[in-house]
Amino acid sequence: MPTILLATTNPHKVREVNETLAPLGYDVRSLDSLPRVPEEPVEDADTFAGNARLKAVAYARETGIACVAEDSGLEVDALGGAPGVYSARYSGTSGSRDERDRANNEKLLRELAGVAPERRTARFVCAMCLAAPDGRVLVEVSGTYEGVIADAPRGENGFGYDPLLYLPDAGKTCAELSPEEKNARSHRGKATRALAERLRTLRVEEALPDS
């Protein structure tokens, strides 16, 4: 069974990706599964795709395991695409993941104070890259998830900016969707399904050693 390392310790992201790739016969593991978690590479690219690529290549070379890395975030049209690649650290880097999520959401709402609903259009973007153990880039894909920024957080099922991205067609925020509903339409779900399709059609499993 080919092993794929998922370059994250975020259990929510692991679950989303594993639900799609594990049924295809891939052993999807997180960084937490390693005896030693490698030092995190500096994400200094100016695009989601660039950050995903540099992480996948760095972790694959360091561990000798094929690696899928993703970079994702929120683009808000009224803010010129911000927070963009700075989504995770929009309000700073201190505190736990939950504390940072709350601070990021609070800052976003402050930045959009007084902005009319029709100008609060936004989207989640996810760029994904699969690198072979020797660092060769095998696959690059992406997915987006359109919505509108709500005026207050709603829902308990998500993380990050999920409580703020309202989906007009569903009448819910991302955090009010069930995990199955979210994965069926989310940016990460779309990118993971695109990756799965490429894995099928390109037969890149030949480049991935069995565990």
Side-chain angles (χ1 to χ4, degrees):
M1 177 182 292
T3 296
I4 291 180
L5 178 69
L6 188 60
T8 185
T9 58
N10 186 320
H12 304 285
K13 293 182 179 181
V14 174
R15 184 181 66 246
E16 280 192 53
V17 174
N18 193 54
E19 286 176 351
T20 300
L21 296 188
L24 298 181
Y26 292 95
D27 179 18
V28 181
R29 302 179 185 179
S30 72
L31 293 174
D32 287 337
S33 71
L34 300 173
R36 180 187 66 83
V37 177
E39 184 175 347
E40 184 174 0
V42 177
E43 298 180 39
D44 55 4
D46 58 4
T47 64
F48 294 118
N51 280 330
R53 187 181 310 118
L54 69 85
K55 287 189 291 184
V57 170
Y59 282 123
R61 286 176 172 165
E62 175 72 17
T63 64
I65 304 171
C67 180
V68 169
E70 62 94 19
D71 194 39
S72 56
L74 181 71
E75 295 179 341
V76 181
D77 294 326
L79 300 179
V85 294
Y86 303 104
S87 293
R89 53 190 187 277
Y90 192 39
S91 63
T93 58
S94 61
S96 67
R97 179 175 285 119
D98 286 344
E99 289 170 336
R100 292 195 303 272
D101 284 351
R102 184 166 55 252
N104 287 338
N105 285 335
E106 290 171 351
K107 179 177 180 179
L108 181 61
L109 289 175
R110 289 196 301 272
E111 295 287 338
L112 290 174
V115 176
E118 63 271 16
R119 295 188 55 238
R120 296 168 76 100
T121 51
R123 70 205 51 80
F124 284 132
V125 178
C126 176
M128 234 174 230
C129 177
L130 169 63
D134 61 5
R136 287 176 296 120
V137 172
L138 300 175
V139 177
E140 291 183 290
V141 294
S142 64
T144 60
Y145 191 11
E146 301 284 338
V148 177
I149 301 300
D151 56 7
R154 286 170 40 183
E156 303 293 333
N157 294 336
F159 62 99
Y161 297 95
D162 284 351
L164 287 182
L165 191 70
Y166 177 76
L167 311 171
D169 64 315
K172 301 176 181 179
T173 68
C174 296
E176 293 177 301
L177 299 175
S178 69
E180 294 76 20
E181 289 174 320
K182 181 184 175 186
N183 200 32
R185 60 195 294 164
S186 79
H187 57 311
R188 191 170 297 106
K190 290 176 181 176
T192 305
R193 288 190 293 277
L195 173 62
E197 187 60 29
R198 294 288 298 278
L199 285 169
R200 291 190 190 98
T201 60
L202 295 181
R203 299 187 61 79
V204 297
E205 68 270 15
E206 296 172 1
L208 309 182
D210 288 349
S211 57

